[in-house]
Structure formats: C-alpha cells, structure tokens
Amino acid sequence: MSKREFQTEVSQLLQLIIHSLYSHPEIFLRELVSNSSDALDKLRHLTLTDEAYKSLPFSPRIDLELDEEKKTLTISDTGIGMNEEDLSSNLGTIARSGTKNFLSLLSGDAKKDSNLIGQFGVGFYSVFMVADRVEVVSRKAGEEQAWRWVSDGKTGFEIEPAERQGVGTTLVIHFNEEGKQYANSWRLQEIVKKYSNHIAFPIFLTYDKSEWNEAEKKSDKIRATEQVNAASALWRRPKSELKDEDYKELYKSVSGDWEDPLFWFHTKAEGSLEYTTLFFIPSKAPLDLYHAEYKVGVKLYVKRVFIMDDAKELLPQYLRFVRGIIDSEDLPLNVSREILQQNRILTNIRTASVKKILSELKSIAVDQPETYLKFIAEYNRPLKEGLYGDYGNREALLDLVRFKSTKVEGLTSLADVKSRMKEGQKSIYYITSGAESLLRTSPLLEIYKKKDFEVLVLDDDFDEVVFSGIDKYGEIDLKAINKTSTGEDLKDENEPDKAETLQPLLDKLKSTLGDRVKDVRISARLADSPSCIVSDEAEPSLKMQQMMRAMGQKDMPALKPTLEINPDHEIVKKLLTRSDDAVAEDAAWLLFDQALLMEGVALQDPAAFVQRLNRLLSLSV
Ligand code: ADP
C-alpha cells in the first residue's frame, strides 16, 4: 500500500468546499452520479469509435446501494474506470488549469471565495462534506488489474491493488455526522429525482424496503432494487426519433400543465458552444403571467443534470410564458446564481434562444395562421413588453405583434397594414390611450376616414408607453395621431390659407382658456367635429397623464394640450362673427371640454360644464 499526499491545491480546495462552498450538501450525490454518467458516456464513445474496444461489453447502469445499518452508500458504474495513475492524478491533484488559476485568486475571505468557486467544477471532492472516509475501487476498460483508492479527505490518500469484477468504478461512502441524514432510501430517491432524473442511464437503488405482511400483521424488511430515475433526457435524442406524443408527455412533466402545448421548438446547437434547448408554448397563458413573482418556466440542465428551475436570467422577462429546458455542455455543474447573471456562455445561449423562439414564431404565423391566432390571443401583450424592453429584437417583434385596426375585423399585422397603404399615405398611423369604443369614435380619426387611410387602434393601457418609443416599421414612420405634428402631412395643398381670417378667433379662444392650453390652432385633421386636443410629440397624452397620476405618480407635471379647431365647422364659422360676449365664452369652454371628453379625460369642473351647456341649450330650445 502506498501513502500519498494531496496536492497542496487539493487540500485548500477541500477546506473551502467543506467550509463555505455548498449550502446544500445533498449535491454530493448529483456530482457523483454525474461523474458516473460521464464515465459511461466515455466508454460508450470508445466502444463505438475505437477498434480495440469494440468487442467490450457495454451494459450501462449506475447502482446505489444503501446500507442503513453501517451508514454507507455504495455507488457503482459500468463506465470507463480508472487505473492507478488515473486515480492518483484525478482524485489527488487538480489537473485543470482553470481550477489552479482560480485557487491563485483566492483571497482567504470565505464569503468572497465561495462566490468565486461557483465558476469551477469541483465535483468529486464534494463527497467529503458528507463522508469521513471514501473508498474507490476501479478497473479501467481494457485492463485486468483493479485498484483501490482510500482517503479521509484530510491529508492524503492510499492506493493499493484490488479486485473488481468487470470494468467500472465503485465508490463506498462512509457517512459522517452531517452525512447520516442521507442513509435514508426515501431521501436518496428524492435527490436522484430532483437532480438526475434525466441522466440517460438507468440509476438503481438497492435498499431495505418495508412490505406489509398481511398474515402476520406486521411490516417485513425485504431487500429491494428499483430504478429511481426516468432515464429519459428526451431532449437529447434526435428530433427524428421523437413523436409528438413524446413531446407532449415531457411538456406535461416539466410544466405540470394538463393540456397539450400549443407548439414546441427543439434545437441542438453544435459549434463553439454545445447545448440543447426544448421550448414549449402552453396553450393557455400561465395564471401568474402578470404577477411580479411569476414562476420561471425554463429549467437549466448541465449535461443532463438538473441545475435549477428558478433562474430568471435564462430568458428575457417578456418570454416568461415559455416552458422547457436548456441543457448546456459547457457550464460547470455547480454554477451559482451569481455567476449565471454574468456568464458569457449563458448570455450566448440566451441570445440565440430568443432569436430562435422569435423566428420560429414567425414561421408559425406564416405556415399555421390559425394556430398563430391562438398564440396571439394569449401572448400579444408579453410580446409588446418585448417591444419595450428588447431593443435588439424589435424588428422581429414588430412582425409578431398583432393590432386592431379601423380597416379589418379581428387582428392584423404591420406587414398587412403596410400592404394596404394608400397612395399618398406616407406613414402608418395609430390611435392610443383609451377604451376601444372611445378610440374608434375619436374626432382625431375623421381625416383618416375621409382619406381612407387605415389607423391602428391600440387600446392596451401600456400601448402609448410602448409605441411612443418606436418611430419606424422598417422604412416607414409609425405615427400617433394625437400628436401636434401628425396631420401636418395631411393638409390639402390647394386649400386656401384660413389663418388670417381665423386668427382673431384663435386669439380669443386662447385668452378665454388661459393656462389650460398650450396653444389653440387650426386643425387639418377634423371633418365632422368642431374641435379636438393633441399633445406635443415628446409628451404623454392627457389620458396617459391621468393614468400615471392614478398609479401614484403625484409629481407628474400638468402638461397642457393644444386645442385644435375645425375651420369648416358651423360652430366655428358662427363664432367668427360673434363679438366678445358671454355666449362666445361659454362656447369656447364647451369646445375645449367636449374635446377632452372625447379623449376619455375627466373634466376638472363638470358642474361648470353642465351650467354652460344649459345656458346655451336654453337659448336654442
Ligand atoms: P470533474 O468531473 O468536474 O472533471 P471531479 O473531481 O468530479 O471533476 O472528477 C475528476 C476526474 O476523475 C474526472 O474528470 C474523471 O476523469 C475522474 N472520475 C471521477 N469519477 C469517475 C468515475 N465514476 N469513473 C471514471 N472516472 C471518474
């Protein structure tokens, strides 16, 4: 038997793991099962690719054997195994240069260091959080001699020749005080299901099972061996091997949904980064879609090992309705939450995943319009959130979002709106902020009706906020029709200029309305109504200001609207001829107040409005 010391770095690492790395010692099992799974992958690869190994039998399995009395757990695999040299270098030194580098960065401050360590795989050594003695007996593929490696995880290890039936590795864990809680079959099953359910190889647990003995009215202990993982990792199989039923079943198991998904996208990326993604779109929007504390629907796996299911950084927030799996080959198993936030690998996967989801949605919109409508009925709103937050994918999102419009029943796309543009129409127009019925009857629409131009009706509360930041669809301007500047381009060039004749009336209206308006001017956008109000380009509409105040933004400055009057309207024409009397003053206020009402804005002084209305009514009845 030869005694050897751990490489200095290993001792350092062990101390660190035991004292500060893992808040959940249970992950020792995840790490060991994952090592076994890697060893099986390696042997399979050899038997498939290397002539010398082709004749080796390959019957992959991982066995957990629990001895409840002795408090030991044995983990065996039929994988590639290790010889003396492998044992000594893999389990006694830290070969990976990344880890060495990392150790040189250590500051000695346990807290800082444990954040750092999340970036590096430390795998095997985590077993010493729960064990005071570990024995490894291993026989390498293609060799006859087996070796035993034994360590208490403190100073060093011993290696001696041993015997083992068949190729593979067997690890015996002697649990310490902390680890005794894992000498429990129920606990072990739970941990395997949680982290290793989708490891591609079967994992069996042998344990003392209680069985009810009806004859003697007592429980008997019997030794049982049962498979504890699903061993599916469906997403790692080629698409061609999978049936719709397989996907639907997996969806239900990862999402907890009863219904089938609407559709799914399965992608395997190979190249500088290797990963698999499988995303599902639920047929009904999750109930917590609009809760601040929504549940994340995408689970992160590394090499088929479950890592976490509550990482909000896996996809942007607006795609929080997506369910499924991201399985990376490149992330370390013990990647921590802090690291995820700035991890380059994950950022790349995320960027590619978003692009993939959006482009697949686009294809569905084209190829399966019926299905796409079902999708839109549930998820139009979150897509609009994306328009607001995901600048990089704005173009793609603009093509996916659907709109109500003055021209079609139901919903329409911007591409279709563009194709319906009339000659002389320079922009795509929309009206926003208010209930649909109010928007559809707004005086602001009159000129567009007259010219037969389509206007999008944006009646979601946050549409104004979203769309005020978007001024183009491709090359075409997107314009809100309640802004002072819109409508300028609609002026009829041949129309005689009425400014001069109307100026005295404009001045008078302005002095009557005082500081309630920014300006009073002649409108080019009205046909049947006498007046309307519009806002400055960069300012929120009155309706929006009202909503912001209602939501608690008390310090919202009172921004003034511009009143526009229709020079061809009877009331306006008659007002021109009236001298400055009380009737003209009432009329001025009524022109302003009715424009506010049509915008859905509450009047500051409804009583005054009614009095004025009644005074004028009494003159005419
Ligand atoms: P990692 O798995 O991140 O490389 P570990 O400390 O868990 O780090 O393992 C170190 C090395 O020991 C592995 O890379 C592998 O070569 C070897 N090893 C560990 N467990 C096994 C096993 N069950 N069968 C074969 N080799 C193993």
Side-chain angles (χ1 to χ4, degrees), residues 35-36 39 42 77 82 90-91 96 122-124 169:
N35 279 349
S36 288
K42 282 182 200 159
D77 62 62
M82 289 174 275
N90 293 339
L91 307 184
R96 283 153 301 161
V122 288
F124 173 78
T169 302

Side-chain angles (χ1 to χ4, degrees), residues 31-32 34-40 42 75 77 79-82 86 89-91 93 96 121-125 136 138 168-171 303 333:
E31 300 289 330
L32 298 180
S34 155
N35 279 349
S36 288
S37 165
D38 286 349
L40 288 163
K42 282 182 200 159
I75 305 180
D77 62 62
I80 191 158
M82 289 174 275
D86 296 335
S89 59
N90 293 339
L91 307 184
T93 60
R96 283 153 301 161
V122 288
F124 173 78
Y125 300 107
V136 181
S138 193
T169 302
T170 301
L171 232 117
K303 297 184 187 145
L333 268 182

Side-chain angles (χ1 to χ4, degrees), residues 444 481 483-488 506 509 519-526 529-534 562-567 591 595:
L444 297 171
I481 65 170
K483 296 290 170 191
T484 31
S485 65
T486 354
E488 291 298 311
L506 296 178
L509 288 171
D519 196 10
V520 180
R521 53 181 221 178
I522 302 170
S523 186
R525 62 185 106 216
L526 295 171
S529 304
S531 62
C532 67
I533 53 164
V534 289
T562 293
L563 176 70
E564 285 192 357
I565 55 166
N566 178 355
L591 284 178

Side-chain angles (χ1 to χ4, degrees), residues 86-134:
D86 296 335
L87 281 168
S88 157
S89 59
N90 293 339
L91 307 184
T93 60
I94 293 174
R96 283 153 301 161
S97 57
T99 311
K100 273 189 183 154
N101 268 343
F102 155 70
L103 284 165
S104 68
L105 288 175
L106 288 183
S107 64
D109 174 343
K111 209 158 170 211
K112 271 196 212 145
D113 290 347
S114 67
N115 272 343
L116 255 180
I117 204 170
Q119 299 181 53
F120 299 86
V122 288
F124 173 78
Y125 300 107
S126 63
V127 72
F128 288 107
M129 290 187 293
V130 296
D132 46 26
R133 181 183 157 83
V134 176

